[in-house]
Structure formats: structure tokens, C-alpha cells
Amino acid sequence: MTEHVNYHNTVEILKDHGITLEDIAEITYRLQTKFLSGLDREISLASVKRVLQKREVQHVVWVALELDRLTEENRIKEPLRGVIKEDFGLFGVDELLGNAIASTFGSIGFTGYGYVDNIKPGIIGKIDKLGKTKENVTTTFADDIVGGIAAAAGSRLAQKYPNGFPAKDPVKK
């Protein structure tokens, strides 16, 4: 292998799919702001970056987005291609990958992921709609990994700062 999966190329592949870290951080902020006093978007973004530094998260992101790409290019055989393309409700593998990411900072990530998967806030809803309305675009896995990253970032913050943030704590470490 000439290039290993890492933080920087994971951020790039997300960008290639129209997903920015700020988009994900906005969801994290919305998830946790009512529970963590002093939370702001900068702290949320720093937490998203920490989640994406975990190799196991990077691997899930790459696998998920590759499955979407291969489906778009009709390089996955039927009947699996059709199941992925239509984001079949009983498929569930996309949610498993979202939950795999969400749980990297504790079980609270499961509830956060379930919530965002249900209401589809921000970029999650945009990605989901794109995959359901554009014939040659598949986003079955993309929306779930974004939800998983946002939930993991929120879980990370809840675990680290259960009583809110001390004044001027940048949370960048």
C-alpha cells in the first residue's frame, strides 16, 4: 500500500463528498449545547477533529464512502447494489457503521447517533435527500458516518466535561 489512511486524507475524502468538519461540528453543537454549559462551535469542531484522529474511525469512514462510490459506479453486484442504492430500511449495515463510530467515546454515543439518524439535522438531511433524489448519487453510508462522527464528538465532550466547561478551556488536547 502506498498511502495509509490518516487524518488528513480522511478529511479530504469527506470534503470530496461535500462534507466539512464545520458541518459535522454544527450537529455536535446542536446535540450537546443544552446539556453542556459553555459549549461553543469551536469546542465542537475541536472534538470532531479528535474523533477523526482515531484510526478506527478513519477506517470506517473510508469503507463507508467506498461502498457508496462503488454502488454509484455499479461495481457492486445485485441484489446488494439495489439494497444500498435505495437505502433499504431493513438493510441496517449503514447504521451499524454509524454506531461503530458513535461508540468510540462511550455508549452515550449510541443515543446521540440514534437521535441524529432519526431527525437528520443539517448536512445529514442534505446528504440523505441527495441520495434519494439524484439517480446517479449514492449516499446510503455517508449520512450515517456523519451522524456517527457528530455523536462521537458529542459523547467525547459529555464524558470529558460532564459539568460543562471551565472558563477559557480550549479543549484542543
Side-chain angles (χ1 to χ4, degrees):
M1 180 192 311
T2 58
E3 182 178 276
H4 293 284
V5 177
N6 63 43
Y7 172 81
H8 298 291
N9 56 31
T10 302
V11 171
E12 287 304 311
I13 196 172
L14 287 166
K15 282 183 190 175
D16 290 346
H17 285 80
I19 302 162
T20 68
L21 301 189
E22 290 78 13
D23 291 332
I24 301 170
E26 181 62 28
I27 297 165
T28 300
Y29 175 77
R30 289 162 124 190
L31 263 176
Q32 293 297 328
T33 191
K34 61 185 168 196
F35 303 110
L36 296 173
S37 64
L39 179 64
D40 61 28
R41 285 168 177 82
E42 181 181 346
I43 293 169
S44 298
L45 179 60
S47 191
V48 166
K49 289 177 179 179
R50 287 299 301 260
V51 168
L52 286 171
Q53 289 170 3
K54 290 186 72 95
R55 190 171 312 167
E56 65 189 280
V57 171
Q58 295 164 10
H59 292 165
V60 173
V61 169
W62 278 74
V63 167
L65 294 177
E66 185 67 5
L67 287 169
D68 278 347
R69 184 187 68 78
L70 290 170
T71 302
E72 282 178 7
E73 294 175 0
N74 293 321
R75 293 179 59 197
I76 292 181
K77 293 180 181 180
E78 290 294 353
L80 182 57
R81 180 176 63 229
V83 169
I84 294 172
K85 179 62 188 152
E86 73 178 67
D87 199 358
F88 184 63
L90 295 176
F91 180 54
V93 175
D94 48 335
E95 282 82 11
L96 287 173
L97 292 180
N99 267 314
I101 294 172
S103 67
T104 57
F105 285 95
S107 60
I108 191 172
F110 285 117
T111 56
Y113 172 75
Y115 178 73
V116 298
D117 188 46
N118 188 32
I119 68 164
K120 302 196 183 317
I123 189 73
I124 296 172
K126 292 176 187 171
I127 293 168
D128 184 63
K129 184 177 179 182
L130 182 65
K132 289 183 167 95
T133 58
K134 289 246 184 182
E135 183 61 32
N136 59 346
V137 175
T138 302
T139 61
T140 298
F141 291 93
D143 64 323
D144 292 294
I145 60 152
V146 169
I149 296 165
S155 179
R156 178 187 171 277
L157 292 170
Q159 297 288 345
K160 189 167 180 158
Y161 297 98
N163 299 316
F165 297 93
K168 298 288 183 183
D169 185 352
V171 193
K172 294 199 176 27
K173 291 187 176 183

